[in-house]
Amino acid sequence: MRITENANLKEYNSFGTSCIAQRLFHLKKETDVHEYQKHPDGYPKHKLLISGGSNILLGSQIKGSVAKIEWDGIFILEEYENHVLIQVSAGHSWHDFVIWAIDHEFGGIENLSLIPGHVGTAPIQNIGAYGVEAKDSIESVRYFNWNTGETEKISNKDCKFGYRTSIFKTIRRNNGVILSVNFQLTKNNHNYNTEYGAIREELKKYGLKKSLSNISKVVITIRNSKLPNPKLLGNAGSFFKNPVVGIDQLKILQKEYPKIPFYKQSNNQIKLSGAWLIEKSGWKGKSHKDAGMHNKQALVLVNHGNSTGEELWEFAKRVKRNVQKKFQIKLEPEVNLIEIEA
Ligand SMILES: Cc1cc2nc3c(=O)[nH]c(=O)nc-3n(C[C@H](O)[C@H](O)[C@H](O)COP(=O)(O)OP(=O)(O)OC[C@H]3O[C@@H](n4cnc5c(N)ncnc54)[C@H](O)[C@@H]3O)c2cc1C
């Protein structure tokens, strides 16, 4: 376990904002979590766990300790005729795991290609894209509980997954560390999901048949054409969640905006497009100093250069206020605010 004093987390977060952490602990193996917990400057002064850093907006300073999840590995636990059970360590790159699964002809996560971040964080906000969510393949989560010092196995059902949420965002928030995630993937009879977004049209356009690798390739092409690469333009993907409203609120909105896009959810709720609301409020492509909303995807907050986390949040709050004024809808951040007052 390596420790750095006054570490700048700029290279560890996808917004590329500067943040000086009093102490940064690099947890290289799973057992380093126990060492960190016992270290007098470790868990007793704990402020933040950081993994891939692609879903956080950091304030300029963290007075305390940050633990960085760095252990990785993929292990096949059990193999059956039709499916396989795989354990993946928390610090493993999500996209590398997806590609590994496709190379082994294991299905279920191909639509989630190219999502940045690590495997251990995938259950936290139940990452999703193109009609598929991590919850569809997660069997269970291994979790180290800070309070009890015990490692627990939390079943899919007990993770209480929902749209961009899980128990790790509610009652288990900041309560422990996800050590690894178990996935159940298909070995044959794959359930290809090509209905969402432009996947089907893209497959047709290139004359590709439905397969795990072709779906992944198409998803990668679509994502690259739409979303800014954080290595070139600081961002954390969708900054706000798509708001979910009741049918009555949709009807009120439809009177004034008959073309408002909406997606019916299974529980009689309606998901609206946050990007559409932001665009109609006039914020798509707008910026102030180095903070802005992306010109192709209005839901993505971007750092054009040297914004601080606080400046980005101030800008995002202006967008949020305007959307609320125009549509009476409150946008909630999908990204985790760290040492920034919400
Ligand atoms: C360009 C771009 C596109 C994106 N597209 C999508 C998308 O399509 N769908 C989607 O769902 N998301 C998307 N995201 C968001 C992001 O990639 C995911 O939320 C990802 O799972 C975050 O992983 P991370 O390892 O980077 O998390 P981090 O940002 O490192 O951490 C996120 C939170 O989890 C906590 N945490 C970190 N590790 C652990 C652990 N082991 N145990 C417990 N808590 C922990 C942190 O303290 C923090 O609060 C996108 C982001 C970017 C930059």
Side-chain angles (χ1 to χ4, degrees):
M1 188 171 67
R2 190 161 61 83
I3 308 169
T4 322
E5 305 273 335
N6 296 318
N8 194 338
L9 304 182
K10 191 177 167 83
E11 63 173 303
Y12 301 133
N13 77 92
S14 63
F15 272 115
T17 56
S18 201
C19 166
I20 306 300
Q22 203 173 357
R23 257 169 253 98
L24 175 64
F25 288 71
H26 296 265
L27 310 188
K28 298 270 177 206
K29 48 189 195 304
E30 207 183 276
T31 48
D32 284 349
V33 172
H34 303 267
E35 242 191 272
Y36 177 73
Q37 196 190 26
K38 287 186 207 126
H39 195 291
D41 286 329
Y43 184 67
K45 295 183 179 159
H46 177 71
K47 286 283 178 187
L48 173 71
L49 286 175
I50 189 166
S51 214
S54 65
N55 200 24
I56 47 176
L57 181 63
L58 299 170
S60 302
Q61 205 185 19
I62 297 181
K63 287 185 185 155
S65 297
V66 175
K68 189 161 176 294
I69 311 292
E70 295 185 356
W71 64 91
D72 58 6
I74 301 179
F75 312 91
I76 296 179
L77 299 181
E78 292 164 25
E79 206 163 342
Y80 301 92
E81 198 184 329
N82 297 321
H83 70 268
V84 61
L85 190 65
I86 301 161
Q87 182 163 97
V88 190
S89 303
H92 205 96
S93 147
W94 172 263
H95 180 66
D96 287 356
F97 167 49
V98 173
I99 296 303
W100 177 92
I102 291 166
D103 286 347
H104 286 74
E105 263 308 302
F106 296 150
I109 51 174
E110 55 285 351
N111 292 45
L112 305 179
S113 298
L114 213 62
I115 296 183
H118 291 168
V119 169
T121 23
I124 298 178
Q125 73 153 2
N126 178 26
I127 56 168
Y130 299 99
V132 172
E133 290 180 314
K135 74 168 172 55
D136 305 331
S137 300
I138 290 174
E139 188 260 350
S140 60
V141 170
R142 278 181 62 249
Y143 182 82
F144 177 79
N145 187 320
W146 291 127
N147 302 324
T148 62
E150 303 283 330
T151 297
E152 306 167 31
K153 187 172 169 183
I154 305 175
S155 70
N156 177 303
K157 185 169 164 274
D158 290 339
C159 287
K160 306 221 181 306
F161 290 120
Y163 167 62
R164 296 296 179 274
T165 192
S166 71
I167 198 164
F168 309 107
K169 284 204 115 176
T170 56
I171 55 174
R172 286 195 186 253
R173 192 185 191 101
N174 299 329
N175 239 351
V177 187
I178 293 175
L179 302 174
S180 62
V181 184
N182 286 357
F183 294 87
Q184 184 173 312
L185 301 181
T186 51
K187 278 176 67 181
N188 42 51
N189 293 329
H190 302 304
N191 184 16
Y192 299 121
N193 193 327
T194 56
E195 299 308 308
Y196 205 91
I199 299 182
R200 202 170 20 181
E201 291 96 88
E202 289 288 308
L203 285 172
K204 208 169 154 198
K205 187 164 123 193
Y206 295 106
L208 298 171
K209 66 175 175 48
K210 276 186 196 175
S211 72
L212 301 179
S213 64
N214 284 343
I215 291 175
S216 170
K217 274 183 204 144
V218 159
V219 167
I220 290 172
T221 309
I222 301 171
R223 289 184 71 97
N224 277 335
S225 71
K226 279 192 177 169
L227 289 168
N229 179 346
K231 287 188 183 129
L232 306 175
L233 182 62
N235 77 91
S238 303
F239 185 77
F240 295 108
K241 290 185 198 177
N242 285 314
V244 176
V245 299
I247 189 87
D248 293 345
Q249 197 171 358
L250 175 69
K251 282 182 183 157
I252 295 169
L253 286 163
Q254 277 175 324
K255 280 189 190 144
E256 203 169 338
Y257 309 98
K259 288 191 178 154
I260 186 167
F262 65 92
Y263 312 93
K264 280 193 180 141
Q265 304 296 285
S266 48
N267 51 2
N268 258 344
Q269 297 283 91
I270 307 290
K271 196 197 279 178
L272 301 177
S273 160
W276 187 89
L277 298 170
I278 292 172
E279 186 175 347
K280 292 294 163 206
S281 305
W283 287 91
K284 186 176 182 180
K286 285 270 167 67
S287 53
H288 174 69
K289 294 186 182 167
D290 279 344
M293 300 313 291
H294 192 242
N295 57 6
K296 280 196 199 156
Q297 174 44 274
L299 204 52
V300 177
L301 177 69
V302 292
N303 179 8
H304 288 288
N306 290 314
S307 274
T308 61
E310 288 85 355
E311 285 166 349
L312 286 165
W313 176 233
E314 278 310 310
F315 184 82
K317 278 198 293 192
R318 283 173 63 192
V319 176
K320 186 178 147 104
R321 275 197 298 270
N322 272 225
V323 168
Q324 185 157 12
K325 200 168 160 206
K326 190 170 170 68
F327 296 103
Q328 286 75 53
I329 288 176
K330 214 171 162 187
L331 292 178
E332 296 297 344
E334 180 177 311
V335 170
N336 298 282
L337 305 180
I338 312 290
E339 299 295 87
I340 290 180
E341 217 166 294

